[in-house]
Amino acid sequence: MTELSSSPESGTTTGTETSAGPASSPVWAPVVLWSRPEEERAGTPLLVLLHGHLASEEDLMSIVDHLPEGFTIASVRAPVAMGPGFTWFPLAQDAGYTVEKATSAVGQVIAWLDTVKAAHPSVSLLGFSMGMAVATSMLRNRPTDFAAVVGLSGFVVPDEGSSFFKDGEVQANPVPVFWGRDQEDQVISAERVEFTHAWLNGHTKLTKVLYANMWHSISVQELAHVREFLGMTVAGLSPAPR
């Protein structure tokens, strides 16, 4: 199976907006790569890409050509510089992890999204690895804001009693979610996979697909399935050709 690396080179982009990271103003101003210039975005469905741990906003731009053409795509850089890239919050096994740090990062993305979403008839999310945790947490905080969510080789964050997560509302208004992974992925723990599977089954309209020989990565076959899923679930997009 042909695979795309989990840290691919940047794809073609026609718009970049940058800052040094979380701003001193109330709304975070992240580094964002856009698939279209600003004057061409209005009226198009928005798809927000959320990269994984130690990656960057360039990480997922190489998959843009595999996604439906009707989207405006925004790839967002995580707020915390770490190692060769950036992260959204500490890993669960790190001493510094708290659910509050996770929800704080997610809240920053939501606040930024609130500043740009009015130009678009719908917003969908696509997250890889930790980016899936961010995407599903955004859904859990804003249960009616998103048309669809795509999670690739990732997981859902346990709520630990935090009021940030409005899971009852998510369950009452289930959103289409695509979850793709390889059972041989050694990065996401079995415990996290089990929790993610149970949560998605109980709260969303889940499409789950397992892939072989993909490991902790993204395959061309998976992207074909993602394209079809988005084409069928997001209004204003033509279904993917068969």
Side-chain angles (χ1 to χ4, degrees):
M1 179 186 298
T2 303
E3 294 184 0
L4 298 178
S5 168
S6 60
S7 298
E9 296 179 358
S10 176
T12 301
T13 179
T14 55
T16 306
E17 298 176 2
T18 64
S19 76
S24 57
S25 60
V27 177
W28 175 48
V31 175
V32 180
L33 293 181
W34 293 89
S35 64
R36 303 173 188 262
E38 186 172 4
E39 61 271 17
E40 297 179 8
R41 299 173 196 166
T44 60
L46 177 62
L47 178 64
V48 179
L49 306 184
L50 303 157
H51 64 76
H53 182 59
L54 304 185
S56 76
E57 72 284 0
E58 297 182 354
D59 184 61
L60 293 175
M61 287 303 290
S62 67
I63 73 172
V64 168
D65 289 344
H66 297 269
L67 300 173
E69 294 179 0
F71 277 114
T72 288
I73 295 173
S75 186
V76 182
R77 177 188 292 181
V80 181
M82 180 177 290
F86 301 85
T87 193
W88 300 97
F89 48 83
L91 296 172
Q93 61 266 32
D94 292 346
Y97 174 81
T98 64
V99 71
E100 288 77 18
K101 288 183 179 179
T103 57
S104 175
V106 173
Q108 287 181 308
V109 185
I110 291 172
W112 163 78
L113 184 57
D114 283 346
T115 70
V116 301
K117 68 181 184 181
H120 305 276
S122 69
V123 180
S124 300
L125 307 171
L126 185 155
F128 172 76
S129 193
M130 184 184 280
M132 178 181 172
V134 176
T136 52
S137 294
M138 291 172 70
L139 171 65
R140 295 166 74 185
N141 182 255
R142 295 284 186 88
T144 62
D145 279 16
F146 305 108
V149 176
V150 174
L152 307 177
S153 300
F155 59 96
V156 173
V157 174
D159 65 76
E160 299 183 20
S162 172
S163 61
F164 183 87
F165 300 102
K166 303 171 184 177
D167 287 356
E169 294 179 37
V170 179
Q171 191 173 42
N173 302 279
V175 170
V177 173
F178 179 97
W179 182 31
R181 59 178 299 269
D182 184 343
Q183 292 188 95
E184 300 302 319
D185 183 346
Q186 300 298 309
V187 173
I188 309 302
S189 70
E191 180 182 10
R192 277 295 170 91
V193 170
E194 182 179 357
F195 176 84
T196 299
H197 191 199
W199 190 90
L200 291 173
N201 266 328
H203 295 82
T204 72
K205 297 178 182 177
L206 177 62
T207 298
K208 176 187 174 185
V209 184
L210 297 176
Y211 300 91
N213 303 316
M214 188 176 71
W215 311 101
H216 192 67
S217 186
I218 303 170
S219 73
V220 171
Q221 180 188 27
E222 182 178 35
L223 289 173
H225 293 155
V226 170
R227 182 184 180 96
E228 183 176 19
F229 169 81
L230 291 171
M232 292 189 300
T233 57
V234 179
L237 294 175
S238 300
R242 294 181 179 273

